[in-house]
């Protein structure tokens, strides 16, 4: 069993930056594919970014490409989401997710491919 705990959310003005962290328990973190999803009020949870176990592959939603960067430190069992140039439409609860599967292609974007989820951290961007 893996537990994921997000941190780093908060209130920021448009154009500002935040860095989210997701700390994972367990010895097999380095073999997991990791992702970030978000859910705004009244909307479905949507894919934001993902990273392969080795960090060789990263994927981004079009809405965040060029502004957000996902990274991981396997020695610290932690995955990060650096968010720059934040917009009010980025306001949401951000969830960290982990997958035991070998992800390819569109797998990265699918919620059903992720086995473990954190409790979420609120990000609010004011205009």
């Amino acid at each position: 069993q893996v537990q994921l705990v997000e941190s780093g959310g908060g209130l920021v003005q448009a154009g500002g930056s935040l860095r989210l962290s997701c700390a994972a328990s367990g010895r097999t973190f380095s073999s997991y594919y990791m992702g970030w999803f978000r859910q705004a009020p009244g909307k479905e949870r949507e894919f934001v970014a993902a990273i392969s176990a080795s960090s060789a592959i990263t994927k981004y939603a079009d809405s965040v490409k060029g502004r957000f960067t996902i990274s991981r430190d396997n020695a610290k069992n932690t995955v990060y989401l650096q968010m720059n140039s934040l917009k009010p439409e980025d306001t949401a609860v951000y969830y960290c997710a982990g997958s035991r599967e070998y992800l390819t292609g569109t797998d990265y974007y699918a919620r059903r491919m992720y086995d473990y989820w954190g409790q979420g951290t609120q990000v609010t961007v004011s205009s």
Side-chain angles (χ1 to χ4, degrees):
Q1 188 71 14
V2 173
Q3 290 188 326
L4 304 174
V5 179
E6 303 97 334
S7 61
L11 174 64
V12 64
Q13 289 189 331
S17 299
L18 283 174
R19 188 175 83 153
L20 305 184
S21 299
C22 172
S25 65
R27 301 177 182 176
T28 55
F29 172 80
S30 61
S31 67
Y32 291 169
Y33 287 63
M34 300 298 295
W36 286 96
F37 289 75
R38 67 186 181 186
Q39 188 166 18
K43 295 188 177 182
E44 290 193 358
R45 192 171 299 187
E46 65 176 5
F47 172 81
V48 175
I51 188 167
S52 64
S54 67
S55 301
I57 298 171
T58 57
K59 302 284 188 182
Y60 296 94
D62 288 343
S63 58
V64 307
K65 204 170 291 184
R67 300 187 297 122
F68 290 11
T69 303
I70 188 171
S71 61
R72 65 191 295 164
D73 185 337
N74 286 341
K76 295 182 177 180
N77 279 16
T78 303
V79 62
Y80 304 97
L81 185 68
Q82 177 66 44
M83 305 186 296
N84 298 329
S85 302
L86 282 161
K87 304 175 181 180
E89 51 262 44
D90 294 318
T91 295
V93 177
Y94 283 71
Y95 296 92
C96 173
S99 174
R100 297 171 296 183
E101 304 296 327
Y102 178 78
L103 303 183
T104 60
T106 58
D107 289 347
Y108 284 92
Y109 307 97
R111 286 179 294 172
R112 60 178 174 80
M113 297 303 298
Y114 293 84
D115 307 289
Y116 305 107
W117 293 84
Q119 82 288 351
T121 186
Q122 177 71 47
V123 171
T124 303
V125 184
S126 63
S127 57

